[in-house]
């Protein structure tokens, strides 16, 4: 991707504009201006382009480096309220073209002006079942295609309240770019409420863990609060995020006044706060959201124009996340415990509850594993004669909000994996990838990796190749090395997001050829960690002791 926006961001702090709605409301607009669609700001892109251009010019005059398109509501949920969802592309393209033309008017040698294609959340949250992930994603794709055709320099997915909705928008943006043959940066900005979490209870660390692996180019926050309430959350992003940060606060917490919501933060106060965010936390893109005006942006521009971009030395925490919280692979006081009682092949109680449609009982089994100390749940619904995708859809939907633990999706069917990924807002792990049927076109390895790559999942890689399950340390390390190099080189994964299972056979059969299998597994893990210190490893430890009595199993497993 060649991006002058990212190039400029690497050289200096960029200032974005302020509120669109606040400024549009300052114009004397009639119902006719809205074509009878009262409150639909996006229709002004075609009915009153002069007004929209006027807002853009106001912010550019104030010193903004980047302006947002008037496309916050060109999505399925917002336009469906006016029964014009078929105009998503049209209004997105029109709004972007207006911003592009206006930005180009102000561009100077050495001072380009950029267009950020605004993608709002809408009012339908997929995690709560308001709309399907697929429907939301496809509508967002039309939205972003309009932004691309109109000439946006970056896609800004903002005011995100549901991480699953954010994922739908980011994945749609990537699909739109592929369709249009043009790649531009993606910025994701979440909205953290005064409660300290996103609307559905997501901590900022969980949002970072879920969104960064999608391949976004910036991450940040906007809306809901003023800068004071954002500070600690921005600190977390500054400490953990590998990518640049953006922040666009409201002009303080809204207060109810005679004319509705009023925002109390003065321009000089916003400018001081954003200057602090640049110097303390290394924010690279700053601007304003609700209640901010041209004067706010003018003073922000003056406050940061000569600041060197703050440097950060982030300390990322590789791991997974639920909707609510991140779970690092490296636990301070324990190994990472994977609960397997939500596995239809390993738990009779879970399997029978699933087969009988007792979903509440399945959820209770998951909650019991949380109480017992599990850090991650292995969810497997595979059972002969069942519609695995339907079972996964139902259980993943319930566990998305009912469990605080991340989910490891465990299936031999890629469509079952997809059903889980489309319903879980957190970052999942996919169990498993291996070379049992090779790695060529149409192989299960390729199908699963296409999903893992698109949805930003971590993967569990098994030491199995075309010859079978690896038995010796040499064989295990050879397969593991092949997997790691393949996943990093061809699928863009980080080593720290790969979890290798070197596997072990039972050593309790009495057969001479399996007596050393456990030793071979331990040796393989030791050598693998020497070769790849950042790689994660996992093991179904109890596999080693099948067939022994309970006391002997406990001793051997330990």
């Amino acid at each position: 991707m060649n991006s002058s926006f990212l190039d400029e961001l690497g050289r200096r702090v960029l200032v974005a504009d302020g509120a669109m709605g606040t400024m549009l409301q300052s114009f004397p607009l009639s119902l006719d201006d809205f074509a009878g669609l009262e409150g639909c700001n996006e229709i002004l892109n075609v009915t009153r382009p002069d007004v929209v251009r006027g807002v853009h010019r106001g912010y550019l005059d104030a010193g903004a480096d980047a302006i947002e398109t008037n496309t916050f509501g060109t999505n399925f949920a917002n336009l469906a309220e006016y029964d014009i969802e078929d105009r998503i592309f049209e209004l997105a393209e029109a709004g972007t073209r207006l911003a592009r033309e206006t930005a180009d008017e102000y561009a100077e040698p050495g001072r380009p002006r950029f267009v950020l294609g605004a993608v709002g959340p809408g009012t339908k949250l997929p995690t709560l079942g308001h709309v399907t992930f697929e429907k939301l994603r496809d509508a967002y794709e039309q939205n972003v295609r309009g932004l691309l055709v109109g000439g946006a320099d970056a896609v800004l997915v903002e005011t995100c309240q549901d991480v699953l909705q954010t994922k739908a928008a980011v994945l749609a943006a990537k699909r739109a770019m592929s369709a249009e043959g043009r790649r531009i940066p993606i910025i994701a900005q979440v909205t953290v409420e005064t409660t300290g979490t996103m609307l559905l209870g997501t901590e900022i660390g969980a949002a970072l863990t879920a969104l960064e692996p999608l391949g976004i180019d910036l991450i940040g926050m906007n809306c809901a609060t003023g800068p004071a309430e954002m500070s600690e959350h921005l600190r977390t992003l500054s400490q953990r995020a590998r990518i640049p940060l953006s922040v666009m606060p409201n002009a303080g917490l809204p207060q109810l006044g005679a004319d509705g919501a009023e925002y109390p933060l003065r321009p000089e106060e916003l400018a001081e706060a954003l200057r602090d965010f640049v110097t303390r936390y290394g924010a690279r893109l700053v601007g304003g959201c609700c209640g901010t005006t041209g004067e706010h942006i003018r003073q922000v521009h003056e406050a940061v124009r000569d600041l060197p971009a703050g440097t950060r030395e982030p300390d990322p925490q590789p791991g997974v996340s639920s909707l609510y919280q991140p779970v690092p692979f490296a636990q301070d006081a324990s190994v990472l415990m994977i609960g397997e009682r939500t596995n239809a092949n390993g738990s009779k109680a879970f399997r029978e509850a699933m087969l009988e449609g007792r979903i509440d009982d399945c959820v209770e089994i998951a909650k019991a594993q949380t109480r017992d100390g599990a850090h991650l749940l292995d969810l497997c619904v595979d059972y002969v004669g069942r519609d695995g995708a339907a079972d996964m859809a139902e259980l993943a939907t319930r566990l998305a909000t009912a469990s605080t633990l991340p989910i490891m999706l465990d299936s031999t069917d890629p469509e079952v994996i997809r059903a889980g990924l489309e319903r879980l807002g957190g970052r999942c792990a996919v169990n498993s990838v291996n070379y049992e049927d090779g790695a060529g076109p149409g192989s299960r390895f390729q199908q699963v990796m296409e999903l893992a790559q698109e949805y930003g999942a971590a993967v569990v890689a098994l030491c199995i190749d075309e010859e079978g399950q690896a038995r010796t340390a040499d064989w295990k390390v050879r397969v593991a090395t092949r997997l790691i190099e393949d996943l990093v080189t061809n699928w863009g994964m980080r080593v720290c997001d790969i979890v290798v299972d070197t596997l072990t056979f039972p050593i309790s059969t009495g057969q001479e050829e399996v007596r050393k299998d456990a030793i071979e597994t331990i040796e393989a893990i030791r050598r693998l960690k020497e070769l790849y210190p950042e790689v994660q490893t996992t093991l179904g430890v109890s596999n080693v002791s099948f067939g022994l009595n309970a006391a002997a199993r406990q001793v051997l497993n330990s």
Side-chain angles (χ1 to χ4, degrees), residues 126-127 132-133 164 389 392-394 396-397 400 418-425:
T127 292
T132 66
F133 181 91
L164 190 58
M392 177 61 80
E394 184 170 17
T397 297
R418 183 192 302 276
L421 291 171
E422 289 185 351
R423 288 163 177 83
L424 293 161

Side-chain angles (χ1 to χ4, degrees), residues 446-525:
Q446 185 183 57
Q447 293 178 64
V448 172
M449 281 311 304
E450 286 174 352
L451 291 171
Q453 182 184 57
E454 183 173 23
Y455 289 84
V459 297
V460 177
L462 306 188
C463 289
I464 299 173
D465 64 9
E466 295 86 347
E467 298 176 26
Q469 180 171 321
R471 299 288 294 273
T472 66
D474 286 344
W475 188 2
K476 293 174 190 287
V477 172
R478 183 172 69 251
V479 177
T481 299
R482 178 185 168 194
L483 280 162
I484 293 168
E485 295 300 324
D486 189 349
L487 295 175
V488 170
T489 303
N490 299 319
W491 297 97
M493 293 202 68
R494 292 187 173 93
V495 173
C496 60
D497 290 330
I498 300 169
V499 186
V500 175
D501 190 340
T502 55
L503 303 173
T504 188
F505 279 95
I507 60 170
S508 49
T509 65
Q511 296 173 295
E512 185 64 29
E513 60 266 28
V514 302
R515 286 174 60 84
K516 294 184 178 180
D517 274 6
I519 294 172
E520 297 288 337
T521 294
I522 293 170
E523 175 63 11
I525 294 171

Side-chain angles (χ1 to χ4, degrees), residues 49-281:
D50 58 313
V51 170
V52 178
R53 282 196 183 95
V55 174
H56 292 323
R57 288 193 176 106
Y59 284 125
L60 290 164
D61 286 334
D65 298 296
I67 53 173
E68 289 190 46
T69 56
N70 181 35
T71 58
F72 185 80
T74 53
N75 55 58
F76 163 74
N78 285 49
L79 296 191
E81 293 180 5
Y82 299 99
D83 198 27
I84 57 169
E85 62 268 33
D86 59 330
R87 299 182 68 179
I88 288 175
F89 176 89
E90 173 203 348
L91 296 178
E93 188 274 336
T96 309
R97 182 166 32 81
L98 292 175
R100 176 78 276 154
E101 292 169 355
T102 312
D104 289 346
E105 290 174 15
Y106 283 76
E108 303 169 5
R111 179 85 192 280
R113 303 296 178 100
F114 300 104
V115 173
L116 307 179
V119 177
T123 56
K124 306 294 186 185
L125 305 183
T127 292
L128 299 184
H130 296 161
V131 63
T132 66
F133 181 91
E134 183 180 21
K135 189 174 188 66
L136 201 61
R137 181 200 63 210
D138 291 350
Y140 276 133
E141 184 176 348
Q142 289 302 305
N143 185 355
V144 177
R145 290 186 76 165
L147 303 178
L148 292 166
V149 172
D153 295 298
V155 173
L156 174 58
V157 182
E158 61 178 344
T159 321
C160 301
Q161 302 158 325
D162 177 355
V163 184
L164 190 58
Q165 165 261 317
T166 317
K167 281 187 175 183
V170 172
L171 268 59
K174 289 187 159 188
R175 290 187 175 200
M177 291 176 199
S178 178
E180 294 294 330
R182 179 172 174 238
R183 172 81 165 90
I184 60 176
I186 300 173
I187 307 165
Q189 290 186 160
V190 301
T191 294
V192 178
E193 308 290 335
T194 54
T195 57
T197 67
M198 294 171 65
L199 184 63
L200 299 187
T202 307
E203 297 175 3
I204 191 67
L208 174 63
T209 300
L211 297 177
E212 193 178 49
L214 297 178
I216 59 176
D217 300 282
L218 283 85
I219 191 167
M221 303 167 61
N222 79 299
C223 207
T225 70
E229 294 78 15
M230 289 183 172
S231 183
E232 283 306 304
H233 310 301
L234 193 63
R235 181 196 300 273
T236 298
L237 292 179
S238 178
Q239 292 171 342
R240 302 297 184 196
R242 299 178 176 92
I243 54 180
L245 307 183
S246 65
V247 58
M248 301 179 188
N250 287 348
L253 290 173
Q255 300 170 354
L256 188 59
D259 298 318
E262 297 178 353
Y263 293 87
L265 199 69
R266 298 191 303 274
E268 62 271 20
E269 293 173 317
L270 179 66
E272 181 181 353
L274 292 182
R275 178 185 177 92
D276 184 54
F277 285 171
V278 170
T279 55
R280 289 176 63 195
Y281 302 138

